[in-house]
Amino acid sequence: MTYLRRYWPFGAVAVLALLPYAGVGIPGVFDGPLNSPGTLQLLALCLLFGGLATGYDLLFGRTGLLSFGQALFVALGAYGADVLITKAGLPLALAAPAAILLGTTVAAAIGAIALRVTGIAFAMVTLAFAQVGAILAARDAWGLTGGDEGLALDVSGLPSGLVGVVNTYKLYWVSLAYLVIVMIVVRRTVSSPTGRVLAGLRDDERRVGVLGLNPYAFKLFAFVLAGALAAAGGVVHLLLVQGADPKIAGSELTLSLLVMVVLGGPGTRYGPLLGGVLYTYLDYRLTHVAGGLPGPLKQPLFVLGVIFILAVYFFPGGIAQLRLRALRRTL
Amino acid sequence: MSILQVRDLNVVLSGLSILQGVSFDVAPTGVTVLLGRNGVGKTTTLRAILGLAPGIGSVTFDGADILGRRTHELVQKGLGYVPEDRCVFAGLTVAENLRLAERTKNSAYELVFELFPELKKRASQRAGSLSGGQQQMLALGRVLLTENRLLLVDEPTKGLAPKVVTEVADALARVAVRVPILLVEQNLAVVRRLAGDAVVLAAGQVAWTGGASELLSDHDLTKSLLGVGSHS
Amino acid sequence: MSTVVLLAVTGLGLSALYFLIASGLSLVFGLADVLNFAHGWFLTVGAYAAYWATPKVGFAGGVVAGVLAGAGVAALVELVMIRPLYKRTIAQVLVTVGLSLAGVALFQALFSPDARIFPSPKWTQQVVGFLGARVPVKSLLLIAGAVVVLAALLAFLRWTRYGLIIRAGVENREMVTALGIDVRKAFTLVFAIGGAAAGLAGALGGVYFESVSPTGGASLLIFAFIVVVIGGMGSITGSAVAAVAVGLLQQFVNYYGSAGAGDVCAVALLAIVLLTRRQARQA
Ligand SMILES: Nc1ncnc2c1ncn2[C@@H]1O[C@H](COP(=O)(O)OP(=O)(O)OP(=O)(O)O)[C@@H](O)[C@H]1O
Ligand SMILES: [Mg+2]
């Protein structure tokens, strides 16, 4: 029993890693068999957003920082790697770390300024900074970003194993690896002494100040780490959809990350992951299956927005909490 | 019969237990003074009574249980509040600060201007540009505009010049003739002059109750409870 | 020279739009601590109400419909959605985020996601001579609208009892309740006022952009946020000054620099203000 409790994540990862070999389908849930490229692509997106939401929760749920700028760092990862590969002809092995470094650096610079204000003002300021990214992406800044259309990835710069529909399963593994890395990094951070200070900041900033620790430095650390994770997620997104477009830089992306985290359960180990997976899946299914639904129900964002609002009122702890409650009842 | 009864009041603020089972009565006339060292929870007690801090326990005002009631309703029922650090509206003029506090047409402007003529002279001055003493007069003046059945006054002489302290104490003495006051005060000279009963808080609990003069005449007791000598 | 005048007028037109949105946001935030992401949606509601009403009752009637719709929806949102979450600031923000997502999607479902042509009266689409330049009437219309709203708001805040309560509440809300005033009633009022201004912005913005779209409000909202932060939350005059600065800066830089540079400058201005304001506080 305790074994199960302790090691089930390894089992789960193993099962997920083996999915590309499963020829069975789940009717009603996925259109094709699990190992069809379409299903694997959807699953990969789900895992990626699970990871992105978990990274974002490092700010929102773990440190209590309401940032509206997370999309900027995702976009820096995606566009950064895209431009370096497509325009500068760099190999992925160089472009990816460079893009992540870029995202991290920008996160440090913006965090340094934005963290001078707190609370709601911080939210507004991060939103404004992220908007610069959205503008630059949409306006084809310096002829690099491709404007509204976005910048399709020049796949000739990629290792051939990552190109083409037949290789979707490898991209799926990349997503899975990203998710696992994010989970480990967040878990490590949260259980470290630094993580306990972050939790203290979330609960009551004054108490941390009283301990003689500098809240600013710790918040900046969380902001930069979350930015780095987001940039890495951006690179994975670039590979998955073979391009970058302004949608990934817009505030809608940040808002949906926030929705994922809140739906799943902020500050819990698996909540943001669950929220990210569920949101991405529902978004996709409602878009592609909703043809028969009446009126506003056809709009995935309407359904998700309403669920989200109801969640804020009726289960503020998110899915993770619901699950816990149900578990406690059965035990 | 007391005007306010506090029973077993507990307050937790951001996870810290500030008050643990505070109980005391406020006499229906005169000044009851609430004493204690810095940070012991005097302000928190007043705020909990008013519903500005979350309290558990019971607070009875004029026979009715008021804990958990909304602040503005309690104030309308006659619980006047003069907060620590005055909290006048700095961006508003003196006249506007007073106008804000009006509740009925026949507000007691004559009384307020008689007690604090300064306020009339400075009616159109921004409250933020008043001196500390003048701000304190404004903070007192605005509660005196309306009918009150009990005033909660938090350190009205804090940071004031000796001459102004006397003025404020004079005003409080005159007010106390008509309305009972629960007063938090560190200046023992003022306490000696005004107070009938005294309640002393220590470590989030009531450590001593009794007559104020009894407390102040006992040098050792004062020293152990308040950390200061009574001959100051 | 005439280019400068033209840019100044069109820039001020943009400022006017920002001010109409920012004034409500600023009051709502200053008084009630609510960062209202749904404020852009109030604008969209106003725009569509004007779009719907103008062919039936004329342009003036359309504008009134926009204002009323904005005010009504905003008051309703405060009463039904914000009030139950009183003092839970983050939850309130989250709810307005959800509303902004669902609201936009609702309009996309009801009216199609595409922009529609706004039934502007002909006179609004003309140009008139002004200081030697040919300037668009629609910019002047927006400026006039904003000036009227600014004057009305200042008068309201200065001369009425609710104005007094709002000014005091922006400074110290708790102390207002401690004077026996139910400050929550004022919350509904500032939401309604902000919604009315946003609804006006929606109607006049429909004329300005010659179209209405479900996402129109959201894209303006971010610049309104910038204006609110620069101008100081809760300050109407501050919002007006900041709106003028941001609108002019954006218009001039976008014209003389590369496209989009003006928008970036607006954010840069925000950063500078934040950095220097901090120093001022420390001094
Ligand atoms: N919001 C809060 N969160 C956590 N602790 C608080 C909060 N407000 C006050 N405290 C703590 O509660 C304790 C009591 O504070 P309070 O202001 O009631 O003391 P006081 O007796 O009025 O002190 P003083 O004489 O300095 O006015 C203090 O230790 C203070 O640090
Ligand atoms: Mg105190």
Side-chain angles (χ1 to χ4, degrees), chain A residues 120 127 131 139 308 313, chain C residues 29 81 94 222 225 260 278:
Chain A
I120 299 291
L127 179 70
Q131 186 62 13
R139 296 278 167 95
F308 175 64
Y313 289 107
Chain C
F29 185 77
M81 301 180 66
L94 296 181
I222 292 177
F225 278 152
R278 173 75 171 196

Side-chain angles (χ1 to χ4, degrees), chain B residues 42-44 84 154-155 184:
Chain B
K42 304 178 295 290
T43 300
T44 305
E84 192 172 7
D154 199 348
E155 300 206 34
V184 175

Side-chain angles (χ1 to χ4, degrees), chain A residues 206, chain B residues 13-14 18 37-44 84 155 186:
Chain A
R206 274 180 314 166
Chain B
L13 294 176
S14 20
I18 309 290
R37 295 172 193 241
N38 286 97
V40 77
K42 304 178 295 290
T43 300
T44 305
E84 192 172 7
E155 300 206 34
Q186 306 266 38

Side-chain angles (χ1 to χ4, degrees), chain B residues 1-7 24-28 46 49 59-64 66 79 150 152 182:
Chain B
M1 206 32 226
S2 51
I3 177 95
L4 187 85
Q5 293 157 326
V6 177
R7 289 292 173 270
F24 62 92
D25 286 5
V26 177
L46 297 195
I49 292 170
V59 177
T60 316
F61 173 50
D62 229 13
I66 60 166
L79 209 51
L150 174 66
L152 308 177
L182 174 58

